[in-house]
């Protein structure tokens, strides 16, 4: 028996409900809109997709539900399917593949990145304690900053052959 104001509503089931995807790979999500009794609607309405992953970890096609992993591991992230005013969710983690090392401070306990910069007019000043590094070149007056970044590579075996490396930098301000 339903009380006044209680209206059964549709629901959405997202598949897979929880999954992982390796950097550079894709994962297809699907969704079924169910009526209040749990039966699939026929025909199925259009589904709109979204994901709360940062763009460097990946993005989802809002029409097809295909997630493309970027080059930044992380998560768990929430994948959301929306149709007829109701939502369904799934969780997803972006991971590195075996044999792949990701050197990002704060990820899996890694703290080995150090950066600084050298300013041509303050070449005796250490900027290592600054919260950011500066990459810029001023043309008037001509002022250059040279950026230095160091990674602790001790977690990589000495006999490893590195076939590819990607450096991702974030721009926080453009003047």
């Amino acid at each position: 028996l339903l009380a006044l104001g209680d209206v059964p509503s549709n629901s959405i089931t997202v598949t897979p409900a929880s999954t992982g995807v390796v950097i550079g790979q894709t994962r297809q999500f699907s969704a079924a809109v169910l009526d209040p009794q749990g039966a699939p609607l026929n025909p199925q309405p259009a589904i709109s997709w979204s994901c709360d992953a940062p763009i460097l970890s990946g993005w989802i096609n809002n029409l097809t539900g295909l997630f493309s992993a970027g080059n930044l591991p992380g998560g768990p992230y929430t994948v959301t399917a929306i149709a007829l005013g109701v939502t369904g969710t799934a969780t997803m983690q972006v991971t590195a593949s075996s044999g792949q090392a990701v050197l990002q401070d704060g990820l899996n306990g890694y703290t080995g990145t150090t950066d600084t910069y050298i300013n041509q007019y303050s070449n005796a000043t250490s900027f290592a304690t600054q919260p950011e590094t500066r990459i810029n070149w001023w043309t008037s007056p001509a002022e250059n900053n040279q950026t230095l970044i160091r990674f602790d590579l001790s977690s990589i075996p000495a006999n490893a052959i590195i076939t590819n490396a990607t450096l991702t930098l974030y721009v926080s301000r453009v003047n």
Side-chain angles (χ1 to χ4, degrees):
L1 211 48
L2 294 176
L4 188 60
D6 290 342
V7 178
S9 62
N10 295 332
S11 62
I12 298 179
T13 300
V14 178
T15 306
S18 181
T19 190
V21 61
V22 174
I23 288 173
Q25 301 296 312
T26 60
R27 175 76 67 231
Q28 181 66 56
F29 287 89
S30 61
V33 180
L34 309 175
D35 68 17
Q37 289 74 40
L41 294 183
N42 191 7
Q44 284 284 301
I47 306 283
S48 178
W49 295 90
S50 65
C51 181
D52 65 356
I55 192 71
L56 292 175
S57 288
W59 54 94
I60 195 161
N61 182 306
N62 68 329
L63 299 176
T64 66
L66 181 66
F67 181 85
S68 299
N71 60 6
L72 183 65
Y77 301 120
T78 302
V79 173
T80 304
I82 303 169
L84 303 177
V86 290
T87 62
T89 62
T91 58
M92 180 199 48
Q93 186 96 15
V94 177
T95 61
S97 66
S98 69
Q100 197 174 36
V102 177
L103 306 176
Q104 177 188 345
D105 271 17
L107 182 67
N108 298 325
Y110 180 78
T111 58
T113 306
T114 306
D115 63 64
T116 189
Y117 62 95
I118 302 167
N119 179 283
Q120 83 180 70
Y121 294 118
S122 303
N123 55 11
T125 304
S126 172
F127 295 100
T129 59
Q130 296 296 313
E132 77 281 333
T133 190
R134 295 184 180 180
I135 303 172
N136 60 5
W137 176 18
W138 302 96
T139 57
S140 179
E143 179 181 354
N144 289 301
N145 289 326
Q146 298 296 316
T147 299
L148 306 169
I149 303 173
R150 181 182 63 85
F151 298 94
D152 176 1
L153 303 177
S154 62
S155 63
I156 300 174
N159 63 347
I161 298 172
I162 299 173
T163 59
N164 187 5
T166 302
L167 176 64
T168 303
L169 302 173
Y170 299 91
V171 176
S172 63
R173 183 177 66 182
V174 177
N175 287 359

